[in-house]
């Protein structure tokens, strides 16, 4: 006599067709491949682009807020920074207000790389937005932000296209 529990195949199909986690993972992988391929000529992956863009601020941010924005722990952030540091695109420096902490900034070369990548990101994003039906991109962003527990700043708006804000960030 077997003690194994059999899960009906119909349950497998139900999970396949309705699991939000599965569908978000699949979409994330597809988007990551799309942006990795697009950004390759600039010498960046999609993760490196996002990380470097998160450092594009008037003042160098501490590691904690950057890790939180990117939904990663500080150990993972440190590992992601290493190749960018080796390339001379990112600088990690001691926080003068708290010597235990670190501040992150883009180097001049890092800003140049990011500036070259930005038009590629804008074009790729516009094509992606065009693939989603009427207002679908804005709705998808809102839904994903709700699921991740993050909400955009009030000034960010809910535009279905990131084009204008992206241009302003690159100037």
């Amino acid at each position: 006599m077997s003690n194994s529990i059999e899960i009906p195949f119909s349950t497998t199909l139900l999970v396949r067709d309705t699991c939000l986690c599965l569908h978000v993972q699949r979409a994330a992988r597809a988007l990551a491949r799309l942006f990795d391929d697009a950004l390759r000529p600039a010498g960046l992956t999609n993760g490196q682009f996002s990380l470097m863009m998160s450092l594009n601020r008037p003042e160098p941010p501490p590691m904690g807020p950057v890790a939180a924005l990117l939904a990663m722990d500080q150990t993972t952030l440190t590992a992601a920074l290493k190749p960018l540091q080796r390339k001379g695109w990112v600088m990690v420096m001691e926080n003068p207000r708290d010597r235990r902490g670190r501040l992150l900034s883009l180097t001049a070369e890092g800003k140049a790389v990011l500036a070259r990548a930005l038009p590629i990101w804008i074009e790729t994003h516009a094509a992606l937005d065009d693939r989603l039906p009427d207002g679908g991109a804005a709705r998808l962003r809102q839904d994903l932000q709700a699921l991740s527990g993050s909400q955009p700043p009030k000034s960010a708006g809910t535009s279905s296209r990131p084009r204008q804000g992206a241009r302003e960030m690159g100037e």
Side-chain angles (χ1 to χ4, degrees), residues 3 7 9 12 25 35 40 51-52 60 71 80 89-90 92 111 115 117 120 125 133 136 145 156-157 167:
N3 288 335
I7 299 171
F9 183 63
T12 301
Q25 287 172 339
F35 280 94
R40 189 170 290 116
L51 172 51
M52 290 175 68
W89 297 347
V90 170
V92 178
K111 289 178 183 180
I120 297 168
H125 221 287
Q145 287 165 347
R167 271 194 213 104

Side-chain angles (χ1 to χ4, degrees), residues 91-104:
M91 212 168 39
V92 178
M93 62 204 113
E94 186 177 277
N95 185 338
R97 294 189 198 127
D98 178 0
R99 291 188 163 185
R100 295 168 298 166
R102 299 285 177 256
L103 299 177
L104 309 172

Side-chain angles (χ1 to χ4, degrees), residues 38-91:
L39 292 167
R40 189 170 290 116
L44 292 171
T45 66
N46 77 84
Q48 291 170 331
F49 177 84
S50 295
L51 172 51
M52 290 175 68
M53 190 57 74
S54 76
L55 303 181
N56 187 43
R57 305 179 188 202
E59 297 296 324
M63 289 187 71
V66 173
L69 173 70
L70 299 173
M72 61 176 60
D73 59 52
Q74 290 192 29
T75 302
T76 304
L77 175 58
T78 298
L81 287 166
K82 295 284 186 200
L84 301 176
Q85 285 179 275
R86 282 192 298 272
K87 291 179 179 182
W89 297 347
V90 170
M91 212 168 39

Side-chain angles (χ1 to χ4, degrees), residues 112-132:
V113 168
L114 195 56
R116 285 192 304 271
L118 186 57
I120 297 168
W121 179 88
I122 291 169
E123 182 180 320
T124 304
H125 221 287
L128 181 59
D129 283 358
D130 288 343
R131 288 174 46 191
L132 296 172

Side-chain angles (χ1 to χ4, degrees), residues 22-38 46 124 128 131:
L22 172 63
H23 290 285
V24 169
Q25 287 172 339
R26 290 181 67 183
R29 288 182 186 112
L31 289 172
R33 281 190 301 271
L34 174 73
F35 280 94
D36 280 347
D37 291 344
N46 77 84
T124 304
L128 181 59
R131 288 174 46 191

Side-chain angles (χ1 to χ4, degrees), residues 10-20 22-23 26:
S10 60
T11 302
T12 301
L13 297 176
L14 175 69
V15 170
R16 178 199 68 190
D17 296 342
T18 63
C19 180
L20 288 175
L22 172 63
H23 290 285
R26 290 181 67 183

